[in-house]
């Protein structure tokens, strides 16, 4: 079914049209427009992107529901073929995608290529999951007609896809959590069509990737509507998408405010639908006395993780509980923060939110400013355990290169602070083997609050594999029983169904004994 990539436009000249993708057609020009930012130059860049209209949104959702009827019944191998065709086309367009990525984010070439590779790896992983097929958890219990006192009927169950999914791309991962990021790849692998709301921070990258998806869908004979992508720089289209009766689930990565707004809309629908919103976290890190003694090296490790990508990661370990003698560690970390250059942030909005977050914390005068503290500076705060306990806002996320060190005199003091924390994506403990033998209470407290628990490693740089859990209790996410990364992410887009006494002619192939 597949051929070599057949881009309609010669590689290197894939013109950006700035129009939404409504199934296999492009949206119309006109209406509200916006431009991407050339982040390094600090000025708008061509072309103009046209916000989708409500009637285009309606058509995208109708097409997605029509496509679902066919797509959900395709063998997993066909869906895998579609996903691998997307990979082929993205690889073909890599240079162009990376170039636009750098323009729209000001992130370096190495980061762009790493994220590209991760994205390709994730799509391939879900192609394998779709092809292999055991994710549906098929259970077959044949009838026992002679069972007493009552016969047992033939009962079979499996997971089936729920329907068209709305995907909200993230600002901080233009590839890995966007148009063909983990939400999209897992939804398509499960048999759910997707309607993507492109993030306005990187519309050009979104359009280039969407081109690859549409051309792959056509090349592999996927039903029209399996993929659509809508542009909008405001909230209207995103909100209408979540409310649309043909949308049956939502994937989101972004702010708590945005995630909760969309979750509330979904719950207020006549038919509420699941919203899997990943809304960030402060990722508590506990450094035990033996590791604090190695102050310089520990400070270097934490600094590298805290300032990687200008701290714009949901896994940034922004809350550090230092147990024991922490003066030298805090001093080293502060010095490293002072020498940290302040690069361009992903969007003006994120830069403003960062500066505002730092300013509010400085003005509140609850924590000491150990480094930075001015506009556009990497900023380190510190306080003692009692101050932290009395001021819950010190435990809130400041998205960007900032962190707070909380001095704890004892393990018990640290454990009692952890007990009060809200849900988190990750929690880390750094300790020597001796330290760790006494860390049971801290480990137990963290285990109840996080989706990923690490020992002597930093949470940034997430490994994508079968065991990955990138989730956690509220407010890290809106659904603690899920992950947005790793193969388990596919179950978000499916539900279990039991078939009782159904003849083989009507059963899905996965439930027929070979
Ligand atoms: P965001 O503001 O939550 O936006 C994410 C997406 O949701 C965008 O497409 C946005 O649309 C849409 N959206 C947000 N609020 C909405 C609403 N009330 N109704 C409808 N749609 C809505 O996140 P962001 O732009 O990526 O970054 C802003 C902040 O989010 C950052 O400062 C940071 O604190 C946090 N963040 C967290 C993570 C994480 O890993 N969880 C990742 C990135 C950012 P428009 O942009 O078109 O308005």
């Amino acid at each position: 079914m597949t051929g070599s990539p057949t881009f309609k436009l010669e590689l290197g000249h894939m013109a950006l049209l700035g129009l939404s993708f409504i199934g296999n057609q492009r949206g119309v020009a006109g209406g509200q427009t916006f431009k991407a930012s050339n982040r390094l130059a600090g000025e708008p860049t061509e072309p103009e992107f046209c916000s989708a209209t409500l009637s285009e949104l309606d058509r995208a959702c109708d097409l997605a529901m029509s496509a679902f009827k066919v797509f959900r019944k395709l063998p997993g191998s066909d869906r895998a073929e579609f996903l691998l065709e997307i990979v082929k086309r993205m690889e073909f367009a890599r240079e162009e995608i990376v170039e636009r990525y750098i323009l729209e984010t000001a992130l370096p070439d190495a980061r762009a290529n790493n994220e590209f590779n991760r994205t390709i790896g994730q799509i391939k992983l879900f192609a394998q999951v779709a092809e292999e097929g055991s994710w549906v958890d098929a259970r077959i219990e044949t009838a026992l007609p002679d069972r007493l006192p009552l016969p047992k009927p033939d009962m079979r169950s499996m997971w089936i896809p729920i329907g068209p999914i709305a995907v909200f791309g993230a600002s901080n991962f233009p590839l890995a959590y966007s148009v063909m990021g983990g939400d999209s790849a897992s939804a398509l692998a499960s048999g759910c069509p997707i309607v993507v709301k492109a993030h306005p921070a990187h519309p050009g990258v979104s359009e280039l990737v969407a081109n690859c998806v549409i051309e792959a869908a056509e090349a592999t004979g996927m039903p029209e509507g399996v993929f659509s992508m809508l542009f909008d720089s405001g909230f209207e289209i995103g909100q209408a998408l979540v409310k649309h009766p043909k949308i049956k689930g939502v994937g989101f990565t972004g702010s708590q405010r945005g995630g909760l707004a969309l979750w509330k809309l979904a719950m207020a629908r006549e038919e509420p639908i699941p919203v899997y919103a990943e809304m960030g976290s402060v990722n508590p890190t506990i450094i035990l006395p033996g590791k604090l003694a190695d102050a310089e090296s520990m400070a270097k490790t934490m600094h590298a993780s805290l300032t990687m990508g200008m701290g714009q990661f949901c896994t940034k370990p922004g809350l550090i509980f230092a147990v024991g003698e922490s003066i030298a560690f805090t001093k080293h970390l502060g010095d490293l923060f002072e020498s940290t250059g302040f690069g361009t942030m992903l969007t003006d909005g994120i830069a403003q939110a960062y500066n505002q977050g730092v300013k509010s914390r400085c003005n509140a005068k609850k924590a000491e400013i150990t480094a930075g503290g001015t506009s556009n500076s990497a900023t380190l705060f510190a306080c003692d355990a009692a101050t932290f306990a009395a001021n819950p806002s010190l435990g809130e996320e400041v998205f960007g290169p900032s962190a707070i060190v909380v001095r704890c005199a004892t393990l018990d003091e640290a454990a009692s602070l952890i007990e009060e924390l809200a849900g988190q994506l990750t929690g880390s403990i750094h300790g020597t083997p001796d330290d760790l033998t006494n860390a049971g209470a801290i480990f137990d407290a963290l285990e109840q609050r996080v989706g990923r628990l690490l020992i002597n490693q930093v949470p940034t740089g997430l490994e994508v594999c079968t065991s990955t859990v990138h989730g956690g209790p509220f407010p890290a996410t809106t659904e603690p029983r899920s992950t947005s990364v790793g193969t388990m992410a596919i179950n978000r887009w499916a539900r279990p169904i039991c078939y009782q006494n159904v003849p083989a002619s009507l059963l899905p192939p996965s439930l027929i004994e070979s």
Side-chain angles (χ1 to χ4, degrees), residues 29-41:
Q32 294 271 350
T33 60
F34 66 98
K35 285 187 174 178
S37 166
N38 174 337
R39 293 303 294 158
L40 280 178

Side-chain angles (χ1 to χ4, degrees), residues 171-172 197 199-200 234-235 239 252 254-255 258 261 278-280 314 399:
S171 57
N172 60 341
K197 153 71 171 66
H199 198 291
F235 294 164
Q239 297 190 349
F252 170 94
S255 65
E278 191 261 273
M279 303 178 291
C314 49
F399 195 74

